[in-house]
Amino acid sequence: MESTLSHYFGYDTYRPGQKEIISRVLDHKNVLGVLPTGGGKSICYQVPGLMLGGTTIVISPLISLMKDQVDQLKAMGIRAAYLNSSLTQKQQKEIETQLRNGEIQFLYVAPERFDNAYFISLLQQLSIHLVAFDEAHCISKWGHDFRPSYQDVIHKVFALPQDFTIVALTATATIEVQKDIMERLNIGKNDEVKTSTKRRNLVFQVNPTYQRQKFVMEYVKEHKNAAGIIYCSTRKQVEELHEALQSNDINSTIYHAGLTNKEREAAQNDFVYDRVRVVVATNAFGMGIDKSNVRFVIHYNMPGDLESYYQEAGRAGRDGLNSDCILLFSERDIGLHQYFISSSKADDDYKDKMGEKLTKMILYTKTKKCLEATLVHYFEPNEKLEECEQCSNCVIENKTYNMTDEAKMIVSCIARMKQKESYSVIIQVLRGEDSDYIRYCDYNELSTHGIMKNYTTSELSHLIDELRFKGFLNEHDEILTCDQSVKDLLGGQVEIFTTPFKRKTREKVNINTVEGVDRALFDELIGVRKQLSESLSIPPVSIFSDFTLEEFAKRKPETKQEMILIEGVGSYKLKHYCPMFLEKIQSYKSKI
């Protein structure tokens, strides 16, 4: 493995995750690799492809991406080709002849190519040991770049007669998308290789400025020798910003789907070959662009989801040097994405999912927590978090409230519990609340039961989140545990500061109640839960805890978008359980 890497690619060692993926492929195991942008995903199929011999089929989404990869392989003396609509009939015939003669080691194709019966017949004649799905998030309906053709091609690949291995690779996939890919490609749960999404050379910033164009002009002038991408939501904004840059003597180009293929190719080449240093574009630009020295990516508008944002922002700093990822946020951006979702012809499940993703994107723009840690937590909820100390939230000096005493109380409470618990249970114990579960676990007997009874649920959530994002608490499958670092906290070696949070008038917590809960509605929701429990033959608390039902009775959500923000509501429960509760809440409110 190392000799192949050194001989063809000039590297002495593998990057994190690469060797594990390649080893599984060589052991003839289907594998999913989730590596960050710039993490060297292509090597994960190129090295084993060279070692296994024959022709490796690479399914790729974009013509520009195919061309870049083929040019790079040819430059290393590796025989590679692509088949797509950019080739003439004569060129395609030449490549088909080379394939039959075993002269091509890597063949890049779009998934739509498999709709061609002649192409399928050609593949059946080849010696194929490896099939690679590049940009594999396109397979999943829940991925941000979903392409139905990526799903449709799977059964055609599996129908090929050769005994081959499958490797799927992506940089941006949530846990849900990862599971979907693995199920569709028959990848075992132990054959997923993930590395951290952290890229410490990227400096994330959120700027809610109302003077976006002015900010861009000033930033680009201050970074006059830096290459960068500026993403806009619409073609009109792309053209307006481009004109403003040109009028300020800033050499830039534009890229969007309204241009001809020739115009887009010229713009891309001008940027890649440093003839212009700034490209203003819609999200049509960027996938597979081989330019490692992009020093900044500015989002002129908020994207609709964090996957799109992170993939686009991740095109900065692929050479490992410090680069800026700046999101300019306006409340008006929210309305545009809500319009995109509501006017979509997709089914309701898909619209609901896009609404959830938009909510998470909005929360990113509002959070006071570390931006890098927020992104890491979104893609890998179980990963240990730590503050980057360089994003716009980490450097701002607004954490003036000393929460060390509260932190010690929270940690002491968690340490005394006889088993690992979730956010909601920990908060209930700290507030001194009562429930069947708390009594069953004897948590009402703990010395820490009610130790923070004067704090509201939202205040405790804020404090616990601060501990989580600073790495004092770790999370695994929504269960919180203390990190080793809490010893320094309890020993008095460290102090913890957070942003000041609003306090309500301190009132004693009534047993088995939460401030503001509508008890009549709560009782009706209990009835709904009981009905669901009996029909599904599962325990009531497995549907929703009392804590979650009390939150329903307090907030009275009327939409799924409002419900997903409540503790204890996940995507599955939102889809399968929430409609009955929403119907009950709406019915109850109509009678008031």
Side-chain angles (χ1 to χ4, degrees):
M1 283 172 59
E2 278 76 10
S3 60
T4 302
L5 182 72
S6 175
H7 176 74
Y8 287 102
F9 302 95
Y11 301 127
D12 294 326
T13 56
Y14 286 98
R15 293 182 185 178
Q18 288 179 330
K19 192 169 185 177
E20 292 88 338
I21 294 169
I22 294 167
S23 296
R24 281 174 168 80
V25 171
L26 295 177
D27 287 340
H28 305 290
K29 294 179 179 178
N30 294 347
V31 59
L32 169 63
V34 183
L35 306 179
T37 302
K41 292 185 292 297
S42 56
I43 278 178
C44 295
Y45 63 79
Q46 290 168 349
V47 167
L50 290 166
M51 296 178 70
L52 292 168
T55 300
T56 293
I57 306 299
V58 184
I59 300 172
S60 180
L62 293 177
I63 290 175
S64 60
L65 184 55
M66 296 181 201
K67 185 178 185 304
D68 287 344
Q69 295 279 8
V70 168
D71 288 346
Q72 288 176 34
L73 289 173
K74 285 182 174 179
M76 292 181 281
I78 298 169
R79 300 187 303 277
Y82 56 82
L83 283 173
N84 60 41
S85 58
S86 70
L87 301 178
T88 64
Q89 283 285 80
K90 181 181 178 182
Q91 289 172 322
Q92 291 191 40
K93 291 295 181 186
E94 289 173 358
I95 291 170
E96 290 165 6
T97 300
Q98 292 171 352
L99 284 166
R100 290 191 182 92
N101 294 336
E103 297 171 3
I104 291 178
Q105 295 165 286
F106 292 89
L107 177 67
Y108 287 76
V109 293
E112 291 83 2
R113 176 70 45 171
F114 284 77
D115 294 336
N116 186 317
Y118 177 79
F119 176 70
I120 295 290
S121 175
L122 172 64
L123 288 182
Q124 291 171 345
Q125 303 169 44
L126 307 182
S127 175
I128 299 172
H129 300 297
L130 180 62
V131 175
F133 284 84
D134 202 7
E135 307 294 346
H137 55 270
C138 296
I139 289 172
S140 175
K141 180 180 180 180
W142 310 123
H144 61 287
D145 278 329
F146 170 58
R147 288 176 58 166
S149 58
Y150 250 76
Q151 275 189 13
D152 296 341
V153 77
I154 293 173
H155 74 274
K156 297 173 184 176
V157 168
F158 278 115
L160 293 173
Q162 298 91 335
D163 182 17
F164 53 81
T165 304
I166 288 175
V167 58
L169 299 158
T170 181
T172 48
T174 60
I175 298 295
E176 183 178 33
V177 171
Q178 292 167 30
K179 288 179 180 176
D180 194 13
I181 294 169
M182 293 169 74
E183 287 175 5
R184 293 180 185 279
L185 295 181
N186 193 26
I187 296 170
K189 64 180 181 179
N190 296 322
D191 292 317
E192 179 183 21
V193 178
K194 293 189 290 186
T195 60
S196 176
T197 55
K198 291 177 187 173
R199 287 178 59 198
R200 275 296 158 86
N201 64 310
L202 299 185
V203 180
F204 292 96
Q205 301 173 44
V206 171
N207 187 334
T209 179
Y210 287 99
Q211 297 178 305
R212 290 192 271 198
Q213 190 174 110
K214 180 183 178 185
F215 173 88
V216 168
M217 296 304 151
E218 291 175 353
Y219 181 92
V220 174
K221 285 179 179 178
E222 288 171 8
H223 300 78
K224 59 183 180 181
N225 295 319
I229 305 170
I230 304 171
Y231 283 108
C232 301
S233 288
T234 65
R235 299 176 192 178
K236 183 181 178 183
Q237 285 177 322
V238 167
E239 291 169 356
E240 287 176 352
L241 185 57
H242 171 60
E243 288 178 12
L245 287 166
Q246 295 289 74
S247 65
N248 279 267
D249 298 323
I250 297 169
N251 194 12
S252 65
T253 188
I254 62 172
Y255 189 106
H256 59 64
L259 303 177
T260 65
N261 289 339
K262 188 174 182 181
E263 288 171 326
R264 288 200 301 272
E265 184 176 353
Q268 179 176 315
N269 288 336
D270 283 346
F271 183 63
V272 169
Y273 290 100
D274 293 335
R275 291 191 282 268
V276 298
R277 66 184 182 92
V278 177
V279 59
V280 187
T282 61
N283 60 7
F285 179 79
M287 188 182 286
I289 298 300
D290 186 29
K291 186 174 176 64
S292 63
N293 65 335
V294 175
R295 290 279 76 85
F296 64 87
V297 171
I298 297 174
H299 279 80
Y300 200 70
N301 309 96
M302 179 190 74
D305 57 77
L306 282 168
E307 293 103 304
S308 299
Y309 175 67
Y310 191 64
Q311 185 177 62
E312 290 158 13
R315 288 167 188 147
R318 293 181 64 173
D319 54 9
L321 300 180
N322 285 352
S323 306
D324 291 335
C325 303
I326 304 169
L327 172 58
L328 305 180
F329 170 71
S330 167
E331 296 290 338
R332 287 174 293 179
D333 296 335
I334 298 174
L336 179 63
H337 288 292
Q338 288 174 333
Y339 170 75
F340 287 156
I341 293 169
S342 63
S343 61
S344 168
K345 295 180 180 178
D347 59 39
D348 287 342
D349 278 354
Y350 186 77
K351 288 183 178 181
D352 287 346
K353 179 61 66 176
M354 293 307 103
E356 291 173 33
K357 290 189 173 188
L358 176 59
T359 297
K360 297 286 178 63
M361 184 73 243
I362 295 167
L363 290 175
Y364 175 82
T365 68
K366 308 282 190 186
T367 185
K368 293 181 173 60
K369 303 293 188 299
C370 171
L371 294 175
E372 181 193 75
T374 300
L375 289 165
V376 169
H377 185 61
Y378 178 76
F379 288 106
E380 183 44 73
N382 294 334
E383 185 169 341
K384 177 176 170 57
L385 300 180
E386 56 184 345
E387 293 177 325
C388 70
E389 299 182 355
Q390 62 182 10
C391 72
S392 55
N393 283 353
C394 283
V395 299
I396 193 169
E397 296 180 359
N398 63 353
K399 295 196 173 185
T400 57
Y401 181 86
N402 189 329
M403 58 168 280
T404 307
D405 290 340
E406 287 99 331
K408 290 178 179 178
M409 288 189 277
I410 292 167
V411 167
S412 297
C413 183
I414 294 171
R416 284 173 168 79
M417 290 180 165
K418 66 180 183 182
Q419 60 192 33
K420 298 171 183 176
E421 298 290 0
S422 66
Y423 269 75
S424 58
V425 173
I426 292 166
I427 289 173
Q428 288 177 59
V429 175
L430 286 166
R431 281 174 52 80
E433 296 176 22
D434 190 20
S435 71
D436 292 342
Y437 182 76
I438 286 175
R439 287 194 299 275
Y440 173 78
C441 295
D442 293 328
Y443 290 154
N444 56 321
E445 302 295 329
L446 294 178
S447 60
T448 50
H449 182 256
I451 196 173
M452 302 183 77
K453 61 187 177 183
N454 291 327
Y455 291 76
T456 65
T457 297
S458 62
E459 288 169 351
L460 286 172
S461 293
H462 173 87
L463 294 167
I464 291 172
D465 278 344
E466 193 73 60
L467 289 171
R468 172 81 176 94
F469 276 73
K470 290 181 184 296
F472 289 101
L473 297 178
N474 296 324
E475 183 178 356
H476 187 82
D477 294 342
E478 301 183 359
I479 299 299
L480 289 176
T481 56
C482 294
D483 189 76
Q484 289 292 320
S485 58
V486 300
K487 292 179 181 178
D488 293 335
L489 168 66
L490 296 174
Q493 283 98 336
V494 296
E495 289 187 311
I496 302 177
F497 288 83
T498 187
T499 52
F501 48 95
K502 294 179 181 179
R503 297 291 183 85
K504 295 178 181 178
T505 304
R506 300 302 178 205
E507 293 182 7
K508 184 177 180 180
V509 177
N510 295 322
I511 298 301
N512 202 29
T513 189
V514 174
E515 207 172 52
V517 171
D518 186 325
R519 278 292 144 198
L521 175 57
F522 176 79
D523 290 341
E524 292 195 25
L525 295 177
I526 289 287
V528 173
R529 184 177 68 178
K530 186 173 187 295
Q531 184 181 344
L532 262 177
S533 169
E534 291 171 351
S535 65
L536 298 173
S537 297
I538 57 176
V541 293
S542 296
I543 297 171
F544 287 124
S545 68
D546 285 2
F547 174 81
T548 300
L549 292 189
E550 287 186 330
E551 288 298 298
F552 287 175
K554 180 167 63 175
R555 303 189 200 182
K556 298 185 178 69
E558 291 192 78
T559 65
K560 287 184 176 181
Q561 284 73 23
E562 292 174 349
M563 227 166 208
I564 193 66
L565 298 175
I566 293 174
E567 186 79 36
V569 180
S571 297
Y572 181 87
K573 291 184 178 182
L574 185 74
K575 178 180 178 181
H576 295 278
Y577 303 157
C578 285
M580 288 183 66
F581 290 94
L582 282 170
E583 185 178 339
K584 176 59 70 177
I585 292 168
Q586 289 163 356
S587 171
Y588 179 85
K589 290 179 75 171
S590 69
K591 298 174 185 176
I592 297 176

